[in-house]
Amino acid sequence: MRRRRGELCDLVADKGYHSRDVLKGLDDGPWKTRIAEPRPSKGYSRWHGDDEARAAVYGNRTRLRSGVGKGAMRKRGEIVERSFAHVLERGGMRRTWLRSRENVHKRYLIHVAGYNLGVLMRALFGAGTPREAANVRFAFLVIIPAADMIAVVFLAASDAETAALIVAVTCEAD
């Protein structure tokens, strides 16, 4: 679905992105914000004459409580949060015993890449796990090395359809 010039877009986020400055900045643009609102520390908000921030926060609150806002937050939870939870739970990434933040980051990237590969394989072949892939009738894996790149071609066929996945990786010089 394409957005026409001047048409509003929805922005859905969790409460970590909610601030008066962010909402004021997005209020004049093409974004209709639906950002979850954290509870104020004293139970109420003081505006101190900042009418722009008050209008932006109240507008966001109204959009968030609407049916469209509730549906958008539900969809965000289904799509975004579920995938993060799956990556963290399946690979034991909630608690890790690696020494440096850099090593944790590398391991997290590998887990996310594996999750994304499963999603891609499920979309292309209908099989995202090795057990599901056992139902595929035949598959070919071809690796093509070149001077400055490597290409991996995966071709699979089942009773219903045939699909191909081609990945090319290049090496950039520093």
Side-chain angles (χ1 to χ4, degrees):
M1 192 164 123
R2 285 196 163 167
R3 183 179 71 87
R4 285 180 262 155
R5 189 175 205 88
E7 191 175 311
L8 297 177
C9 296
D10 291 331
L11 175 76
V12 182
D14 62 2
K15 62 179 82 175
Y17 295 96
H18 188 280
S19 74
R20 293 178 182 184
D21 294 332
V22 168
L23 290 174
K24 280 193 317 188
L26 293 171
D27 200 30
D28 296 333
W31 300 100
K32 287 191 335 188
T33 59
R34 290 182 172 90
I35 301 175
E37 188 173 359
R39 299 205 182 274
S41 59
K42 296 182 181 179
Y44 55 89
S45 299
R46 291 192 180 262
W47 300 105
H48 302 290
D50 194 359
D51 293 333
E52 288 180 33
R54 184 168 46 91
V57 169
Y58 286 172
N60 178 65
R61 188 181 296 168
T62 303
R63 287 187 295 272
L64 190 61
R65 291 180 180 170
S66 70
V68 173
K70 289 179 182 177
M73 289 302 274
R74 200 174 305 116
K75 192 169 185 178
R76 181 190 142 273
E78 288 175 16
I79 295 172
V80 177
E81 297 300 329
R82 185 179 293 171
S83 62
F84 284 137
H86 179 74
V87 167
L88 292 175
E89 291 298 328
R90 292 290 297 169
M93 289 295 296
R94 291 228 187 258
R95 293 194 174 107
T96 184
W97 298 96
L98 299 174
R99 284 189 187 230
S100 69
R101 184 177 285 177
E102 181 182 336
N103 290 337
V104 173
H105 182 70
K106 287 178 198 174
R107 185 168 180 187
Y108 188 73
L109 285 176
I110 293 296
H111 278 270
V112 171
Y115 174 80
N116 289 338
L117 181 61
V119 169
L120 183 65
M121 286 179 63
R122 195 168 286 112
L124 290 175
F125 310 123
T129 64
R131 187 170 289 173
E132 290 174 355
N135 295 331
V136 174
R137 296 288 177 221
F138 70 88
F140 296 103
L141 177 67
V142 180
I143 300 173
I144 305 168
D148 59 344
M149 84 168 208
I150 187 167
V152 178
V153 179
F154 182 72
L155 178 69
S158 64
D159 292 335
E161 59 187 86
T162 303
L165 171 67
I166 302 171
V167 178
V169 180
T170 62
C171 181
E172 293 183 11
D174 289 336

